[in-house]
């Protein structure tokens, strides 16, 4: 059986008939434990096994344990599980999810594998070791259970060649990228004998349940992302060695100005680990037959020298960069590749770099950078042209689809554009002419494509996106679970629009309110669009989704506007803006049709307040949600405090119940500007309700929000009544303020922090009223507005706002 499988070929193959209720991971190292953690994030109970230790630790000897003690025999996996909640990269969405992982060992607990539906092998990257583990698995797994290997480059077919046909039909590669929670890419590598239905099921399961971006790779050295990414890093190193660029120069020219991450080239290598990179490069070198390709994948001597010295990057304490502490604080030194000495970093500037910085958006940055000839744009071009040609050469060998290659680089290396998308951006025929003029051999299929009259690999037509596939345009697969606002806008589905927001028809009688301002910050234009959207949906639609496709959902209100109005003393204008904000949120909350918010990534301040009025929130798993206004010397004034006070009151309808503990908790959360570490954490912190949900795949959140709107509409939606809250009053306020005073006296908060805390306590307690008083929403909004205006007039608040705008981080004064 051929392993030439496309997503289109396996689509609709009945892959949803099976399920994965329980999984097992063999190998509890960083990668194995990270995969187990992500399975736990997805609600899948997981068995984590590792080998039995051959010796005792000093602590075990002191405790009188022996090698036969279960604590010793399970030590490796148990230690890994215990370390998950404390890990700096936070593999778990919630520390409680660690309970879903059961540690064990491969001698005592191997038989437990017969109880699981998916077994993932994550042991040392050596073929013979992996084959031995697969042999053990085959001896105990139940028939039909899926087995996969998390190899980064070893042949999937060679690994399973000694296994039975039934085993091979259920075996494939699942290459997670590290860290598994945060890296979107998952390369699925079918073997020659893998059942297409298994490939289809795993693709669907990993996309929806694990939230991954799946690409189908061929069983070739290093698959897709690492093959092209490693090639790109090696040709960059070659340019450095031949033309004398410094470490800083390369990182300046191969980072955001080229649509790549800030870590660019050398910082990326330090983060990945130089020894890891060398291993990956050698894997390709060992398996590719072509002499020219072997030459490229020959590891430069400087890399070998760094590994020999133990300068392996961040984990080794130094690599291409080194952080040192001095009298004036820490500073970063960079490695001189000629002398192997570290020198103070130099600031890099040029016409091309400045042109890129002035441009908005990655596409415009790349064009501005490459379109301004100088030493740095020449470096970028020399690297880029080779990567583009190499990607084209490998089409059909590492993957059948240019879309899979592009997605692999975007999701695995965090490129803004994949190789073929980049080629379209810079001009296909024009760039090929230049490449050939400079002596590069462009693959025949690319030249044939241009000769046939095509000017791009991707093309929008008839409301759909098409891409090159085996000599013709083929429509990019449309998945019902993914709603693209960008695609809908190209189909003229915009209902209303202004400078800060759009209202878009997303089908089935549902509209979507999309923020489009810089950083999606909320200003008057968005607030006006909210009010217009409510009127439009009330008259013509079944419900409303509040979502967007920006890098972040919303970073808050327009801070610069507020600061300018305050400094000019136009307090009536500020008051009008706050009233407009509050009124817009109240109008959204009062809509007689269901409203569902679908936040993602950074959702701060006013962004939170735009979600709280919704009937339901569909959180993306990676949602960093918090009312953080105290960080700039203010308090939430768009209804955030009001909504939290209402929720606490509603959650305890018994008039004799004690509200104080819940009020204390939310007071601390808002006063300390705490932000959730995930969607699950946002719910735990009290920002979510029992009806709110978390979606693993961020690409599916708009679809899920739409489905929630439709479900509420079908059930006969009943709009909420105007809210009334039982409050803790002046007695509860005294409790809150006493706690804040204690923190000030202990030196934990400043005088200005204390002032902010007192204002916040006044709002959350309901103001100067007796405990148990029932207050209206408008009463709480008035308290918010008064406190906000008062704090905005404070010099120290304005200093905090200026610092945040200039530095991007809070000032404590």
């Amino acid at each position: 059986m051929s392993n030439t499988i496309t997503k289109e070929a396996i689509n609709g193959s009945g892959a949803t008939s099976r399920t994965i209720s329980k999984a097992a991971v063999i190998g509890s190292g960083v990668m194995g434990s990270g995969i187990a953690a992500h399975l736990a994030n997805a609600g899948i109970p997981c068995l984590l096994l590792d080998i039995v230790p051959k010796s005792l630790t000093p602590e075990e000897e002191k405790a009188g344990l022996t090698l036969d003690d279960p604590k010793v025999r399970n030590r490796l996996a148990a230690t890994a599980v215990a370390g998950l909640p404390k890990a700096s990269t936070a593999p778990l969405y919630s520390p409680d999810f660690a309970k879903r992982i059961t540690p064990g060992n491969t001698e005592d607990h191997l038989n437990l594998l017969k109880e699981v539906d998916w077994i993932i092998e994550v042991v040392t990257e050596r073929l013979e070791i992996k084959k031995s583990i697969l042999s053990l698995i085959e001896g105990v797994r139940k028939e039909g259970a899926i087995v996969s290997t998390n190899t980064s480059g070893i042949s999937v077919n060679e690994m399973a060649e000694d296994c039975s046909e039934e085993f091979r039909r259920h075996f494939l590669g699942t290459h997670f990228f590290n860290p598994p929670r945060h890296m979107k890419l998952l390369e699925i590598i079918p073997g020659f004998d893998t059942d297409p239905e298994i490939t289809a099921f795993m693709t669907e399961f990993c996309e929806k349940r694990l939230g991954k971006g799946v690409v189908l790779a061929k069983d070739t050295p290093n698959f897709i992302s690492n093959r092209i990414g490693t090639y790109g890093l090696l040709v960059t190193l070659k340019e450095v060695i031949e033309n004398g660029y410094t470490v800083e120069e390369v990182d300046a020219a191969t980072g955001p100005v080229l649509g790549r991450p800030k870590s660019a080239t050398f910082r990326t290598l330090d983060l990945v680990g130089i020894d890891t990179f060398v291993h990956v490069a050698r894997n390709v070198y060992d398996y590719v037959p072509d002499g020219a390709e072997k030459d490229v994948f020959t590891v430069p001597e400087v890399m070998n020298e760094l590994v020999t010295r133990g300068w392996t990057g961040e984990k080794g304490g130094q690599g291409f960069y080194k952080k040192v502490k001095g009298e004036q604080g820490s500073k970063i030194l960079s490695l001189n590749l000629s002398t192997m000495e570290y020198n103070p970093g130099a600031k890099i500037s040029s016409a091309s770099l400045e042109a890129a910085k002035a441009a908005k958006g990655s596409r415009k940055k790349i064009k501005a950078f490459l379109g301004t000839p100088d030493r740095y744009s020449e470096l970028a071009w020399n690297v880029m042209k080779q990567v583009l040609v190499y990607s084209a050469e490998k089409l059909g060998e590492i993957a059948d689809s240019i879309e899979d290659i592009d997605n692999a680089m975007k999701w695995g290396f965090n490129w803004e554009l994949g190789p073929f998308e980049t080629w379209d951006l810079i001009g296909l025929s024009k760039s090929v002419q230049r490449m050939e003029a400079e002596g590069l051999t462009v693959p025949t299929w690319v030249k044939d494509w241009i000769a046939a009259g095509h000017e791009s690999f991707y093309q929008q037509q008839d409301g759909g996106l098409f891409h090159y596939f085996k000599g013709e345009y083929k429509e990019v697969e449309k998945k019902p679970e993914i709603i693209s606002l960008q695609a809908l806008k190209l189909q003229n589905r915009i209902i209303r629009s202004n400078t800060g927001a759009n209202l878009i028809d997303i089908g089935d009688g549902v509209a979507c309110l999309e923020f489009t301002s810089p950083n999606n910050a909320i200003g008057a234009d968005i607030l006006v669009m909210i009010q217009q959207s409510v009127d439009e949906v009330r008259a013509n639609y079944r419900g409303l989704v509040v979502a967007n496709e920006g890098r972040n959902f919303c970073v808050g209100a327009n801070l610069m506007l507020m600061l300018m109005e305050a400094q000019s003393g136009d307090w009536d204008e500020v008051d009008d803006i706050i009233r407009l904000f509050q009124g817009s949120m109240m109008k959204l909350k009062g809509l007689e049709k269901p409203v569902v918010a679908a936040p993602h990534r950074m959702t701060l301040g006013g962004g939170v307040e735009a979600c709280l009025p919704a009937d339901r929130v569909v959180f993306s798993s990676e949602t960093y949600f918090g009312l953080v206004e105290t960080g700039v010397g203010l308090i939430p004034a768009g209804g955030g405090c009001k909504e939290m006070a209402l929720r606490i009151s509603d959650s305890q309808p018994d008039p004799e119940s004690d509200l104080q503990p819940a009020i204390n908790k939310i007071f601390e959360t808002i006063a300390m500007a705490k932000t959730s570490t995930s969607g699950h954490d946002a719910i735990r912190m009290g920002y979510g309700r029992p009806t709110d949900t978390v979606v693993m795949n961020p690409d599916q959140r708009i679809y899920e929000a739409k489905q929630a709107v439709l479900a509420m509409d079908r059930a006969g939606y009943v709009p909420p009544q105007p809210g009334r809250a039982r409050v803790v009053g002046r007695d509860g306020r005294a409790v809150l303020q006493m706690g804040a005073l204690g923190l000030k006296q202990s030196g934990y908060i400043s005088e200005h922090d204390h002032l902010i805390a007192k204002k916040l306590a006044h709002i959350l307690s309901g103001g100067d009223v007796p405990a148990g008083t029932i207050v209206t929403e408008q009463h709480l909004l008035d308290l918010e507005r008064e406190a906000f205006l008062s704090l905005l007039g404070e010099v120290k608040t304005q200093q905090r706002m200026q610092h945040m705008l200039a530095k991007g981080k809070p000032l404590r004064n």
Side-chain angles (χ1 to χ4, degrees):
M1 180 184 292
S2 168
N3 69 340
T4 302
I5 301 175
T6 65
K7 291 179 184 178
E8 291 86 351
I10 62 178
N11 192 31
S13 62
T16 55
S17 60
R18 60 166 62 231
T19 186
I20 292 175
S21 300
K22 190 173 182 180
V25 175
I26 300 181
S28 66
V30 172
M31 201 69 203
S33 61
I35 292 171
H38 199 58
L39 293 170
N41 287 335
I44 302 167
C46 182
L47 183 66
L48 181 63
L49 305 183
D50 212 318
I51 61 173
V52 174
K54 295 181 179 179
S55 60
L56 296 172
T57 65
E59 291 78 14
E60 288 168 342
E61 289 181 347
K62 187 176 180 180
L65 301 178
T66 70
L67 290 174
D68 294 327
D69 193 292
K71 287 185 178 180
V72 176
R73 296 177 70 79
N74 297 338
R75 183 215 307 152
L76 296 179
T79 301
V81 173
L84 289 172
K86 308 167 190 173
S88 58
T89 54
L92 296 165
Y93 291 149
S94 170
D96 289 343
F97 291 175
K99 297 173 184 175
R100 296 172 179 169
I101 306 173
T102 303
N105 68 75
T106 52
E107 293 182 16
D108 303 329
H109 306 110
L110 201 63
N111 280 339
L112 295 178
L113 295 182
K114 65 180 62 175
E115 301 173 5
V116 307
D117 307 299
W118 180 17
I119 304 165
I120 311 170
E121 168 274 306
V122 198
V123 300
T124 303
E125 285 284 277
R126 288 174 56 187
L127 179 60
E128 291 308 315
I129 294 177
K130 288 183 177 288
K131 290 178 78 169
S132 68
I133 290 294
L134 294 186
S135 177
L136 289 175
I137 292 171
E138 185 170 23
V140 295
R141 66 178 271 275
K142 66 183 179 184
E143 185 175 349
I146 296 170
V147 181
S148 70
T149 174
N150 183 65
T151 180
S152 60
I154 296 177
S155 171
V156 171
N157 288 296
E158 285 186 41
M159 243 184 265
E161 62 186 0
D162 299 330
C163 297
S164 68
E165 181 185 351
E166 193 276 336
F167 184 97
R168 295 197 305 274
R169 282 194 290 111
H170 295 85
F171 179 69
L172 71 169
T174 49
H175 180 210
F176 290 82
F177 275 61
N178 193 32
R181 167 186 167 177
H182 295 97
M183 293 299 292
K184 182 174 181 177
L185 180 61
L186 174 64
E187 292 176 322
I188 286 185
I189 311 98
F192 292 134
D193 298 320
T194 306
D195 187 333
E197 288 195 3
I198 297 299
T199 304
F201 168 75
M202 289 301 291
T203 298
E204 181 181 323
F205 179 84
C206 293
E207 285 179 341
K208 185 160 189 177
R209 191 71 184 272
L210 301 186
K212 292 300 173 186
V214 174
V215 300
L216 292 178
K218 302 290 192 72
D219 188 18
T220 56
N222 289 15
F223 313 128
I224 303 174
S225 188
N226 278 343
R227 181 76 168 267
I228 293 174
T230 303
Y231 178 90
L233 290 166
L234 286 168
V235 296
T236 304
L237 281 164
K238 184 179 178 183
E239 284 292 315
V240 172
I241 293 166
E242 291 181 355
N243 297 298
Y245 289 99
T246 67
V247 165
E248 293 100 329
E249 286 178 322
V250 171
D251 278 357
T254 58
V257 296
L258 206 57
R260 309 286 170 79
K262 290 181 180 180
S263 56
T265 297
F266 290 111
R267 289 191 188 278
T268 295
L269 286 168
D270 276 357
L271 289 169
V272 169
I274 296 167
D275 54 339
T276 300
F277 173 80
V278 168
H279 170 77
V280 171
R282 284 176 179 164
N283 189 59
V284 180
Y285 179 88
D286 290 340
Y287 285 96
V288 294
D290 178 67
E293 193 169 5
K294 269 192 180 294
D295 288 344
V296 174
F297 282 93
T298 301
V299 177
E301 190 51 43
V302 66
M303 302 286 281
N304 291 323
E305 177 63 22
L306 287 170
V307 174
T308 299
R309 295 186 182 202
W311 298 358
T312 53
E314 195 168 89
K315 64 184 178 183
Q318 62 194 90
F320 290 104
Y321 291 95
K322 180 180 180 180
K323 186 176 183 179
V324 297
K325 293 183 178 179
E327 293 181 0
Q328 298 181 339
S330 298
K331 59 181 178 178
I332 305 295
L333 307 179
S334 62
L335 184 66
N336 183 314
L337 300 185
S338 299
T339 65
M340 298 299 285
E341 295 177 349
Y342 289 95
N343 302 312
K347 183 174 176 59
I348 308 301
S349 181
S350 78
S352 63
L353 294 171
E354 293 305 314
K357 289 177 183 177
K360 301 296 182 184
S362 57
R363 291 177 177 272
K364 291 181 180 179
K365 283 183 182 295
I366 295 169
K367 294 190 79 169
F369 179 49
L370 295 176
T372 309
D374 64 15
R375 172 176 168 82
Y376 300 114
S377 59
E378 180 183 3
L379 165 64
W381 166 253
N382 286 341
V383 171
M384 176 187 286
K385 68 181 180 182
Q386 296 181 74
V387 172
L388 299 186
V389 168
Y390 186 73
S391 300
E393 288 174 348
K394 295 302 150 189
L395 181 65
E397 178 184 333
I398 62 176
D400 286 325
S401 163
I402 67 167
E403 184 191 13
D404 275 342
I405 291 176
D406 279 346
N407 285 338
M409 299 317 299
K410 290 188 291 185
W411 298 339
F413 275 71
N414 293 318
W415 291 8
E416 293 288 339
L417 301 174
F420 296 98
E421 291 172 323
T422 301
W423 218 333
D424 281 356
L425 177 69
I426 64 176
L428 180 55
S429 58
K430 180 181 176 181
S431 62
V432 165
Q433 290 173 11
R434 181 179 174 185
M435 290 172 185
E436 292 191 314
E438 294 173 357
L440 227 55
T441 302
V442 177
T444 301
W445 75 263
V446 175
K447 293 190 287 185
D448 289 345
W449 183 247
I450 295 171
H454 302 295
E455 285 296 321
S456 64
F457 294 112
Y458 292 89
Q459 186 178 83
Q460 290 281 350
Q461 59 185 47
D462 302 324
L465 178 64
F466 290 72
H467 66 85
Y468 170 90
F469 187 78
K470 297 184 177 180
E472 61 183 12
Y473 276 124
K474 185 169 188 176
E475 188 169 12
V476 173
E477 180 190 2
K478 291 181 178 177
K479 297 184 178 181
E481 300 87 359
I482 297 178
I483 294 176
S484 168
L485 298 182
Q486 181 62 30
L488 291 172
K489 286 186 283 188
L490 292 172
Q491 296 170 27
N492 298 315
R493 300 279 285 275
I494 295 178
I495 305 163
R496 290 176 175 267
S497 182
N498 67 17
T499 56
N502 297 312
L503 184 65
I504 303 168
D505 183 344
I506 60 174
D508 298 314
V510 180
C512 179
L513 174 63
E514 174 197 36
F515 301 166
T516 60
S517 62
N519 295 317
N520 289 337
I522 296 177
D525 46 7
I526 288 179
L527 297 174
V528 168
M529 183 56 68
I530 289 173
Q531 301 216 14
Q532 292 177 351
S533 296
V534 169
D535 293 337
E536 184 72 40
V537 171
R538 178 183 291 124
N540 300 309
Y541 289 85
R542 297 169 67 182
L544 178 67
V545 168
V546 182
N548 62 69
E549 294 172 335
R551 177 172 176 78
N552 298 299
F553 177 79
C554 177
V555 297
N558 189 327
L559 200 61
M560 175 64 78
L561 174 64
M562 289 291 183
L563 180 60
M564 290 173 61
E565 297 291 359
Q567 291 179 333
S568 65
D570 197 343
W571 297 108
D572 288 341
E573 181 68 23
V574 176
D575 186 69
D576 288 344
I577 293 172
I578 300 305
R579 288 179 186 274
L580 176 62
F581 202 137
Q582 293 181 341
S584 299
M585 298 308 144
M586 287 295 288
K587 190 168 183 177
L588 184 63
K589 185 176 181 179
L591 177 60
E592 299 87 351
K593 305 288 181 70
V595 178
V596 178
H600 66 284
R601 292 183 60 83
M602 289 175 63
T603 305
L604 307 175
V608 172
E609 292 174 311
C611 295
L612 294 180
D615 298 287
R616 193 167 298 173
V617 177
V618 175
F619 292 97
S620 170
S621 54
E622 298 295 345
T623 305
Y624 318 123
F625 200 85
L627 293 167
V628 297
E629 285 85 350
T630 60
V632 289
L634 297 167
I635 52 91
C641 297
K642 177 261 296 182
E643 281 297 320
M644 300 314 297
L646 276 174
R647 289 186 182 188
I648 290 171
S649 176
D650 290 344
S651 69
Q652 300 187 45
D654 180 356
E656 299 302 318
S657 63
D658 185 6
L659 299 175
Q660 193 69 49
I663 288 291
N664 292 349
K665 180 181 176 182
I666 202 63
F667 171 74
E668 180 182 340
T669 296
I670 299 174
M672 303 298 288
K674 292 182 179 180
T675 303
S676 73
T677 58
S678 67
H680 293 89
D681 194 42
I683 294 173
R684 180 195 63 79
M685 290 172 67
Y687 287 125
R689 297 155 294 190
T691 53
D692 295 336
T693 56
V694 179
V695 61
M696 290 289 285
N697 191 327
D699 295 335
Q700 297 179 5
R701 62 196 158 77
I702 298 177
Y703 170 83
E704 295 295 344
K706 175 183 170 181
Q707 296 309 304
V709 166
L710 293 173
M712 284 188 279
D713 177 65
R714 285 192 296 268
Y717 177 73
V718 178
Q721 298 301 306
R724 296 171 68 82
R726 179 166 61 95
V727 296
V728 295
R730 60 177 73 96
D731 293 342
R733 180 183 64 191
V735 173
L736 298 177
Q737 291 184 346
M738 186 178 300
L741 179 62
L743 289 173
K744 183 179 84 75
Q745 291 175 337
S746 301
Y748 289 107
I749 63 174
S750 67
E751 187 73 42
H752 194 53
D753 292 326
H754 186 224
L755 173 64
I756 299 165
K758 288 193 293 184
K759 301 277 187 182
L760 179 62
H762 186 67
I763 300 165
L764 291 175
S765 63
D768 193 18
V769 296
T773 299
I774 305 297
V775 300
T776 64
E777 289 187 74
Q778 190 57 54
H779 173 81
L780 293 170
L781 288 174
D782 290 342
L783 295 178
E784 284 187 3
R785 191 176 65 258
E786 291 164 7
F788 186 93
L789 288 166
S790 171
L791 288 169
L792 188 58
E794 295 283 338
V795 172
K796 288 188 176 181
T797 287
Q798 293 180 20
Q799 289 172 345
R800 290 190 180 192
M801 296 170 74
Q802 287 175 320
H803 191 271
M804 178 61 74
L805 290 166
K807 305 291 185 180
K809 54 186 179 181
L811 168 70
R812 187 182 179 193
N813 57 356

